[in-house]
Amino acid sequence: MRLVATILLALAVIAPSAGQDLQGKVVEHTLKNGMRFLIVERHEAPVFSAMVAFKVGGVDEKTGYTGLAHMFEHMAFKGTQVVGTKNYAKEKPILDRLDRVAVQLARLDAENRPQDASRREALAKQMEQLQKEAEQYVIPNQFDEIMSVNGAEGLNAFTSKDITAYVESLPSNRFELWALLESQRIATPVLREFYLERSVVAEERLERTDNDPDGKLYEALVTAAFQAHPYHFPVIGWMSDIRSLTRPQAEWFHRIYYTPGNAVCALVGDIKPSEALPIIDKYFGAIPAGPPPPPVVTTEPAQDGERRVQVLFRAQPQLSMAYHKPTLPSDDDFVFDVLNQIMTGGRTSRLYTALVKQKRIAVSVDSDTSSPGARYPNLFEISATPIYPHTADELTRAIDEEIERLKTEPVPDRELQKAKNQLDADFVRGLASNMGLASQLAYYQLVAGDWRYLLRWRERVRQITAADIQRVARKYLVPQNRTVAVLQPLEASPASSTPGGAQ
């Protein structure tokens, strides 16, 4: 107990200063082309972390080219007209010819006419030959190697429903090199090896979704919950779309969404803004501005009845359920953060205690308050895995009992305060590292429109009451607002499944 008290006291001292320090230490700079930079000095070590993020993800796609945002993320590491090539002047004509053949092949595949079989075979052989010709000019992984040789760590990227981001940490004396390479791959990327990488992404989908029970169930849940809004689309894309993507499509996508005004760069570490800003202006300021990307106009209609879906798979049963809810900056979204912590925040949380410890009907239980994204109204998701021989039906009933408790019994003051303390401790830990802080700043600047949402979130969470929890539970956690997905072992009879078959 003495150790716990010491930790809580330390957090109490550190936590307030974290927000106060952040408020006064973020240097904001917007280039004439609209690209925004957020800089925080931390001179504890001669390194800095960078996150360059674009407000584009799976939600910005349409049927026919789903997976394009994720595909472009892969291609951003292939280099530029200078990096990754032995001779771009000779490479480019081959890439252009390869594109023409790929576009023809994609059209034939879409039409799928038997009389085109011989034509398709000839084009496939031509494409294979052109890929071999193009390969002789490629310097594989040169972008990564230049970064690594100069001390880069954590070189990576990710694509979500909402954003695409590129991250790395480097010695501070390599800041200008970072600015040169990053600005070039934003402005003039060359999407070499596109069709080879397309096959890699197709295999990634097989591994992480089609042949993975967790991925398969999550995809089924989200596509059932969102029937109109483009959150419906999987980030990795539908397999038929992946296999038909072309380099001209990806180049078009880059022109539309990879504009400076659609980007935020957060830099945290051993950086002096007075020295960094002239370098930033020199390299990133020259990128053409471009028009603003098109908005997402489709909204999800209110759900008017429970939806149930069944996935048959050779794996142990699993349960996922999701309720529609508002996203930031709605007050109810703040409440859901606290509610989420109460329900599954650790081994003393309500659902873990009830399902895993007391009733012993679940191996695990978890929840997420911003699935599958946060730019638009989203889902409060609860997932659990039953212990044999217990079923998803039993888990559903047990979860419903705990949800009913939220509606009918005010959360005790001590339990509510504990949840808030845990959230605040997570907040502080999330800002401790350079990359953690850079990620938070860039993410909320893009998704919330202002990095200061971090500070507002913290203050608002402290104000949440037991009455807020009850009100939100009663309003949103109702059957007609819910989608339930069950992964049922393939060998089992469909009649024995929780949902009673796909609906």
Side-chain angles (χ1 to χ4, degrees):
M1 289 297 293
R2 183 175 298 174
L3 177 59
V4 172
T6 302
I7 292 172
L8 290 176
L9 177 61
L11 287 174
V13 173
I14 296 170
S17 64
Q20 294 164 3
D21 288 349
L22 195 58
Q23 177 69 54
K25 289 187 175 178
V26 178
V27 175
E28 301 181 62
H29 180 69
T30 303
L31 301 176
K32 291 180 180 179
N33 58 19
M35 189 167 182
R36 183 184 291 268
F37 286 80
L38 306 173
I39 305 173
V40 177
E41 292 187 65
R42 282 180 171 175
H43 300 291
E44 290 83 0
V47 295
F48 73 95
S49 295
M51 179 169 175
V52 179
F54 295 84
K55 193 176 181 180
V56 59
V59 74
D60 298 289
E61 298 168 346
K62 291 181 173 59
T63 299
Y65 60 86
T66 61
L68 196 48
H70 175 252
M71 184 68 193
F72 188 88
E73 173 221 313
H74 278 239
M75 299 313 301
F77 289 88
K78 296 297 182 179
T80 63
Q81 297 177 14
V82 177
V83 175
T85 184
K86 298 173 184 175
N87 189 325
Y88 182 65
K90 292 183 178 180
E91 180 189 27
K92 185 180 184 305
I94 301 173
L95 295 178
D96 291 340
R97 287 162 55 200
L98 187 55
D99 289 338
R100 289 193 289 271
V101 173
V103 169
Q104 292 179 64
L105 261 177
R107 185 177 296 114
L108 292 181
D109 286 341
E111 294 172 351
N112 195 27
R113 300 184 304 179
Q115 61 265 39
D116 292 330
S118 58
R119 173 64 176 157
R120 191 197 180 288
E121 183 179 355
L123 287 171
K125 289 181 179 179
Q126 186 179 354
M127 188 169 176
E128 184 178 353
Q129 180 57 40
L130 286 169
Q131 286 183 144
K132 290 179 180 178
E133 291 180 28
E135 280 299 301
Q136 65 182 312
Y137 297 107
V138 174
I139 303 176
N141 305 315
Q142 191 177 33
F143 180 92
D144 300 49
E145 289 179 2
I146 293 173
M147 285 287 200
S148 298
V149 166
N150 284 277
E153 293 184 355
L155 182 63
N156 211 337
F158 67 86
T159 306
S160 70
K161 297 280 189 181
D162 293 333
I163 71 170
T164 305
Y166 303 88
V167 298
E168 59 264 303
S169 297
L170 280 157
S172 50
N173 61 4
R174 295 293 185 270
F175 182 78
E176 187 162 5
L177 173 68
W178 167 84
L180 169 65
L181 293 176
E182 281 295 344
S183 62
Q184 283 186 349
R185 74 167 170 172
I186 293 173
T188 57
V190 174
L191 312 187
R192 53 179 59 89
E193 299 182 300
F194 183 90
Y195 302 102
L196 296 175
E197 196 68 25
R198 187 177 66 178
S199 298
V200 171
V201 172
E203 287 297 320
E204 183 181 339
R205 180 184 165 87
L206 285 174
E207 179 183 344
R208 297 186 180 182
T209 302
D210 297 342
N211 295 331
D212 180 77
D214 295 330
K216 195 78 171 175
L217 184 65
Y218 180 73
E219 183 175 271
L221 177 75
V222 173
T223 54
F226 290 99
Q227 298 187 343
H229 190 269
Y231 270 161
H232 172 92
F233 299 131
V235 172
I236 199 166
W238 301 117
M239 183 63 85
S240 58
D241 287 352
I242 294 169
R243 288 174 170 162
S244 68
L245 293 176
T246 64
R247 199 172 74 111
Q249 284 179 314
E251 291 174 333
W252 164 83
F253 196 80
H254 170 261
R255 289 193 298 272
I256 297 297
Y257 292 102
Y258 274 68
T259 57
N262 204 39
V264 170
C265 175
L267 299 162
V268 180
D270 187 30
I271 299 174
K272 294 181 179 180
S274 60
E275 297 175 0
L277 290 178
I279 296 173
I280 288 170
D281 288 340
K282 174 182 176 182
Y283 291 102
F284 292 93
I287 303 173
V296 174
V297 297
T298 304
T299 60
E300 184 68 21
Q303 188 167 321
D304 53 9
E306 185 177 71
R307 298 171 188 161
R308 290 181 172 265
V309 62
Q310 179 192 58
V311 176
L312 295 178
F313 204 88
R314 295 187 186 277
Q316 293 302 308
Q318 293 184 44
L319 167 71
S320 285
M321 58 174 67
Y323 299 83
H324 287 280
K325 56 172 281 294
T327 189
L328 53 83
S330 166
D331 263 2
D332 289 349
D333 187 58
F334 295 110
V335 179
F336 263 104
D337 287 337
V338 180
L339 184 154
N340 183 60
Q341 188 69 29
I342 291 169
M343 293 297 271
T344 63
R347 301 172 74 88
T348 59
S349 62
R350 291 193 174 191
L351 286 179
Y352 190 91
T353 299
L355 276 63
V356 179
K357 290 182 177 180
Q358 295 177 349
K359 297 181 179 180
R360 298 185 178 181
I361 60 175
V363 177
S364 61
V365 61
D366 200 5
S367 61
D368 182 5
T369 188
S370 58
S371 179
R375 277 170 57 188
Y376 303 97
N378 50 25
L379 303 171
F380 173 58
E381 180 193 352
I382 302 172
S383 57
T385 302
I387 293 176
Y388 180 83
H390 297 283
T391 66
D393 250 338
E394 294 176 77
L395 295 185
T396 302
R397 288 193 294 270
I399 291 170
D400 284 345
E401 289 174 7
E402 292 304 317
I403 289 175
E404 193 62 26
R405 276 185 63 201
L406 282 179
K407 298 177 183 179
T408 59
E409 303 174 13
V411 177
D413 290 344
R414 183 172 181 179
E415 184 181 11
L416 181 61
Q417 191 58 51
K418 177 184 175 183
K420 294 180 183 180
N421 291 343
Q422 290 170 332
L423 286 171
D424 206 61
D426 289 342
F427 170 86
V428 175
R429 283 191 291 267
L431 304 182
S433 70
N434 289 347
M435 184 55 73
L437 177 54
S439 299
Q440 294 287 305
L441 290 173
Y443 177 80
Y444 285 106
Q445 184 64 44
L446 283 180
V447 174
D450 187 356
W451 65 266
R452 294 172 185 81
Y453 173 84
L454 281 168
L455 309 180
R456 291 195 293 271
W457 173 88
R458 197 176 191 201
E459 183 57 35
R460 184 64 186 92
V461 163
R462 290 170 178 159
Q463 299 168 359
I464 302 300
T465 66
D468 291 326
I469 301 293
Q470 280 188 294
R471 175 183 57 79
V472 163
R474 290 168 179 168
K475 182 175 182 180
Y476 300 103
L477 304 187
V478 294
Q480 65 265 31
N481 189 42
R482 177 168 74 179
T483 300
V484 180
V486 172
L487 189 140
Q488 191 71 23
L490 189 60
E491 294 79 8
S493 167
S496 67
S497 69
T498 299
Q503 298 182 18

